[in-house]
Amino acid sequence: HHHGSVISGAYYVKGNNSCPLIFENPFFKFQSAEKAKKATPYSSSERYFEVEDDMLLLFPSWITHYTRENESEERIVISFNTEHNYE
């Protein structure tokens, strides 16, 4: 997560066949007593977003996210954070 930021983003200039962006489910630890009939994006501990060339992902900065080691030949990503302007 990015402390002090509001919205974070990742723009994948080249992303095809590279590692996905993974978000941790912030509610998973509170769902320990719930039982799901089948796994869904809402009941799992993580959500994987497969990235592609020319893809922009925006997300709240407080959500924990990461990638695994990139094993593709080339990946170009521009990551950024936004902040409030209090003026």
Side-chain angles (χ1 to χ4, degrees):
H1 67 275
H2 301 267
H3 183 73
S5 177
V6 179
I7 298 292
S8 294
Y11 174 65
Y12 290 85
V13 178
K14 289 194 180 275
N16 287 350
N17 302 315
S18 68
C19 55
L21 184 56
I22 304 166
F23 294 95
E24 290 184 5
N25 180 348
F27 305 110
F28 187 74
K29 61 186 168 192
F30 302 111
Q31 296 172 323
S32 61
E34 295 179 16
K35 293 212 177 220
K37 289 184 179 181
K38 64 178 183 174
T40 70
Y42 304 103
S43 65
S44 63
S45 63
E46 298 175 325
R47 179 77 188 265
Y48 290 66
F49 281 84
E50 298 296 335
V51 297
E52 301 174 1
D53 292 353
D54 198 34
M55 177 183 261
L56 173 64
L57 292 172
L58 299 173
F59 49 92
S61 300
W62 56 262
I63 197 164
T64 303
H65 57 281
Y66 62 95
T67 63
R68 305 231 188 270
E69 183 177 347
N70 181 46
E71 296 180 2
S72 67
E73 285 188 28
E74 182 176 33
R75 181 179 81 156
I76 301 172
V77 59
I78 301 169
S79 300
F80 58 91
N81 296 308
T82 64
E83 297 177 353
H84 284 292
N85 182 349
Y86 292 100
E87 294 181 26

